[in-house]
Amino acid sequence: MASATFLILVAAASLLASFAQADLQYGYYNTTCPGVEELVRTELEAIFADDNTLRAGLLRLHFHDCFVRGCDASLMLNSHNGTAEKHADPNLTVRGYEAIEAIKKVVEKACPLVVSCADIMAMAARDAINFVRTSCCY
Ligand SMILES: *[C@@H]1O[C@H](CO)[C@@H](O)[C@H](O)[C@H]1NC(C)=O
Ligand SMILES: *[C@@H]1O[C@H](CO)[C@@H](O)[C@H](O)[C@H]1NC(C)=O
Ligand SMILES: *[C@@H]1O[C@H](CO)[C@@H](O)[C@H](O)[C@H]1NC(C)=O
């Protein structure tokens, strides 16, 4: 079970890597929002302490977000008439919207209007994988 979960995570991560490859840069926010990576990581630690299953949930959220025109956080959008991406059938088991919103709120306080939801989602997915890798086993 654990190894099956791991394989799925690895497969999803490789797929994500092929989507994301082009524009990701380590330390992109070095000057515009220094410390954002630690901020996100600290928030995630609290979130995962509260709900361990969100590690996989946040990777999956990012994965689903990437389906429609790239990894742009469009999955986070709400609609007044139920036609937003998040209202499509596959959304029913996608979780973690609140986690991204909570992290975004904290990041906005530190650096208003600098770090996008899309980047927070990408950092969260990356860190979720890293936490699984470094703190093995349920
Ligand atoms: C940000 O800082 C890290 C650590 O000093 C460095 O490795 C990285 O190249 C920097 N990235 C940018 C875009 O400045
Ligand atoms: C839903 O709302 C959006 C934005 O207002 C609009 O573009 C779209 O046509 C609407 N779709 C339906 C099915 O009403
Ligand atoms: C997912 O879609 C269903 C059906 O349209 C909707 O009722 C539900 O609120 C959506 N979930 C989220 C998190 O938006």
Side-chain angles (χ1 to χ4, degrees), residues 25-31:
Q25 185 180 25
Y26 183 73
Y28 179 78
Y29 292 110
N30 275 4
T31 52

Side-chain angles (χ1 to χ4, degrees), residues 100-112:
I100 300 298
E101 277 168 12
I103 298 169
K104 173 72 168 162
K105 201 174 277 181
V106 172
V107 169
E108 277 304 299
K109 253 184 211 150
C111 321

